[in-house]
Amino acid sequence: MSADGWSSVLVLGGIRSGKSAFAEALVAGAPSVRYVATAIGGEDDPEWRGRIEAHQRRRPQSWTTEETGADPARLASLLAEAKPGETLLVDDLGGWVASLLDPARQPNDDVATVVALAEAVRDCAARLVVVSPEVGLSLVPATPVGRAFADALGTANQALADSCDRVAFVVAGRPTWLKSAADEPGILTDVQAEDAGVTTADHDAMAAATPAAATPAAATPAAAARVTAATAATSLTVGVARAPEPAPVADLSGTVIEAGMDLPLPDSDAGPDARDRLDRLDLPGAGIGVLLEAVEFAAATQGTATPRPWGPVRVLLLDGRHGGGAAAGTDPGEADRRAAQAEAGEGALARLAATADADIVVVRVPPSGAMEDGPVLDEAAVDAALREGWDLAGAAAEAGREALVIGACGAGTEAAATAVVAAVTGAEPVAMLPRVLVPGARYDDEAWMRRCAAVRDAMHRIRQEPRGAKDMLAQLGGADLAVATGAVLGAAARRMPVLLDGPLGIAAGLVARDLASQSRHWCLLVDAGREQLVRQGADVLGLTPVLDLGLDLGEGANALAALPLLRTAIALAGTLGVHPALLTAPGDDGLSDDGQTGA
C-alpha cells in the first residue's frame, strides 16, 4: 500500500458526472500511467468516436494506452502482470461489461469472469484506479438487454468495491468517499448471499448483528469477515456515506502546489441545460451561433442554466525575459515599453481593458536561463513562481474580479511556450514556432531560425529527462510560464474562469492540467488567432475556440477585444424568456423562482 494509504480505488459516477476527470487527478502525480481503455465500437458512430477522442486528447504525453475491448479476459491478465511501482487507470468498467455480454462470446460464465477480475484487482501489485458507471439509480431498463447490462454492471461494481482499498462516488464533479479504508465493515448483499448459499434468515441475522453505521474500531471480526473464494463468492464492503466536501474557503494560501491536486470542477449539468434552454428563447432569429460555446462555459462555471455576464475582469500581463536563442530578434527595450504603456493606461491593451471593465496588473518576473544550455530555473524558483501566480489569482478574487485573462509582453516567451507544448504533446516544434515579427509588419526569418535552433537543442538535451509538470517548467518554461501556470491553478481553485488566447496561456493550461486535471475545465479559448501553436495546444487541452477571427493584437488583447461580444451573448441567454408559443402555462416565462429553467 502506498504512503497515502491506498493502492486501489474504484471511482463510481453517472454520465457526465466528472468521474473520469476525478480518476485522472488521482494518478496525475505518477511519472507514467498505463491507461487501459475498454471502450468498443465507434467506427459507425461519430458521436461515440468523438467522446473517445476527447478522452485521448486529455491524456498527458507520458501515458501509454492498452486496449481490452476486443478481449475482456485480457483486463485481468494486465492487472496480474502489472509490477510494483507502475500506475494503471482503467476507464471504464461499463465498456468491459458491454464487451463481456457480447452475444458472440456467449455462452460464457460471466459471474466467474467478474470474480476473476475482482481477485485480479485485489492481488494487483501496481497502483490502480478503476472507473465505472453507476447505473443503479435510474429506472429499471425496459429491455432484456438493458436489464442484463445493469445487473451485470451492478454485480461487477459490488465485487470491485470489496476488492479496492477505497471507493469514491462522483456527482456533479463533487467526490464523496463511500469507502475510506480497506478493512471498513459493510453488509453482505442479496446477490452475494445467494451466490454463497446463505439463507435469507442467516442474511437477516447477519445484517441485524452489524450496525449500518459501525466504524472499523467497533466492528467485530465476524462482521468484517469476507466470504472466502472457496465458496465462489465475494463479499461487499459498503462504507458509510460521507458528508459532501465543504466549499473551498477563502484562504487557500497554504495549499501545496503539486501533481495530483484536487481542485473543484464546473457543474457538468448546467452547461447542457443552458444549451437546451437556448432552443426555446424568445429570439427572432435562429440563435447565437458559435457564441453558444461561451454560454455553456459561463453556465457550467457559474452552476446555473441562466448565467450572467462576467463583471470586472483582471488581466495579468507577464513580463519575462528568456536567455539564449529563445529571445533572438527581440529588443529588450520593447518589452519594457509595452509594460510601461500598460501601467500608464496607454497602448492597445490598456484601451481595450478600459472598454471591457478590466484592470491590468503588470507582473515582472526574474529572468530565465537559456534553454539550450541547461535548466532555465531551479526547483526552488519553480515553486516560488507557481506560488506567486497562485497568490495573484487569489488577489484578483479578493478584489472582486470575476474572470482572469493571461497576457504576455516579455522576450523569448513564444519560444519557451513552443518548447513546452512540443514536449507535452509530442508535436513538431518547427511547425508551431511563431514567426518573428518586427516593427513595420516585417518578419525576421533569421531570428526565427535561431529560435528554432534553441528549441531543437533544448528538446535534444532533455530527451532522457523526466517529463513531469514541474520538470517542464524548470527545463524549458521559465518564470513567466510558471507564474501563469500558478495563476490558472489558483483561479480554478477559486472557481474563477480563465480566458486564454495566446502561446503563454495555452502552454500554462497544459502544464496546469498535468498538475490538476480539473483546471482545464475552467479555461476558455476566446480566439485561436493565427498561431498553429495555440491551435495544437488547445486541441490537446480539449478547448474549442469560441471565435475564429484571426486576431493578432498581442496576447491578452485578443480576449479583451472579444469580451463585450461574449458578455452580450451570455446576457441574452440568461435574461430572455421562453418564446410565448412554447410556454407550458399562462404566465410561465421559462424561469423558476431561483432563475432556473422551468419544467
Side-chain angles (χ1 to χ4, degrees), residues 108-490:
N108 179 56
D109 190 347
D110 298 336
V111 174
T113 305
V114 170
V115 171
L117 178 62
E119 292 174 350
V121 168
R122 181 179 291 112
D123 298 337
C124 183
R127 194 169 170 89
L128 174 66
V129 175
V130 181
V131 180
S132 185
E134 174 51 64
V135 297
L137 301 179
S138 62
L139 297 175
V140 176
T143 64
V145 172
R147 290 191 292 273
F149 175 79
D151 290 346
L153 185 57
T155 301
N157 284 345
Q158 292 176 19
L160 264 65
D162 180 59
S163 297
C164 290
D165 299 327
R166 297 186 180 181
V167 181
F169 184 46
V170 182
V171 179
R174 306 300 298 172
T176 295
W177 290 100
L178 304 180
K179 178 182 179 182
S180 58
D183 58 352
E184 189 169 293
I187 63 172
L188 189 66
T189 68
D190 294 333
V191 172
Q192 293 162 336
E194 181 180 346
D195 289 343
V198 180
T199 66
T200 301
D202 292 336
H203 186 194
D204 292 343
M206 292 168 62
T210 308
T215 63
T220 65
R226 293 176 173 171
V227 181
T228 64
T231 63
T234 312
S235 70
L236 171 66
T237 301
V238 179
V240 180
R242 306 299 197 265
E245 297 289 335
V249 296
D251 183 12
L252 298 173
S253 57
T255 303
V256 178
I257 303 176
E258 60 184 2
M261 296 176 68
D262 185 16
L263 300 182
L265 280 166
D267 190 321
S268 60
D269 293 325
D273 289 346
R275 172 189 285 267
D276 293 342
R277 183 174 181 276
L278 286 173
D279 294 335
R280 306 172 64 227
L281 290 186
D282 187 10
L283 287 170
I288 61 174
V290 295
L291 297 173
L292 171 63
E293 187 81 19
V295 172
E296 284 197 71
F297 176 79
T301 53
Q302 295 176 27
T304 175
T306 54
R308 59 180 180 81
W310 301 297
V313 171
R314 172 153 295 175
V315 180
L316 295 181
L317 183 62
L318 299 171
D319 180 9
R321 312 301 167 89
H322 295 259
T330 302
D331 178 6
E334 181 68 8
D336 291 331
R337 190 175 71 86
R338 294 296 183 192
Q341 264 189 342
E343 290 177 322
E346 302 171 352
L349 185 66
R351 290 177 183 274
L352 289 168
T355 63
D357 192 17
D359 65 357
I360 301 174
V361 174
V362 176
V363 184
R364 292 180 173 85
V365 301
S368 303
M371 68 172 75
E372 61 268 39
D373 295 337
V376 297
L377 292 178
D378 59 29
E379 183 178 346
V382 169
D383 288 336
L386 286 170
R387 175 60 56 187
E388 181 179 2
W390 179 278
D391 292 342
L392 286 168
E398 291 174 4
R401 303 294 152 176
E402 297 185 4
L404 206 61
V405 176
I406 304 293
C409 67
T413 301
E414 292 178 333
T418 299
V420 168
V421 172
V424 173
T425 67
E428 175 56 49
V430 175
M432 297 188 298
L433 181 64
R435 296 179 70 184
V436 181
L437 183 67
V438 296
R442 294 183 300 104
Y443 291 102
D444 186 342
D445 289 335
E446 181 180 352
W448 179 81
M449 288 188 285
R450 290 166 58 195
R451 293 187 185 186
C452 283
V455 175
R456 176 202 63 200
D457 292 347
M459 297 296 291
H460 180 75
R461 178 178 60 79
I462 69 166
R463 65 192 185 283
Q464 301 296 334
E465 298 292 334
R467 296 292 181 97
K470 290 188 178 181
D471 299 317
M472 291 297 95
L473 295 174
Q475 295 287 353
L476 305 171
D480 49 358
L481 183 51
V483 170
T485 300
V488 172
L489 294 169

Side-chain angles (χ1 to χ4, degrees), residues 557-584:
N558 300 326
L560 291 181
L563 187 54
L565 181 59
L566 303 188
R567 282 177 167 145
T568 298
I570 295 169
L572 287 173
T575 58
L576 284 180
V578 172
H579 192 283
L582 300 175
L583 295 179
T584 57

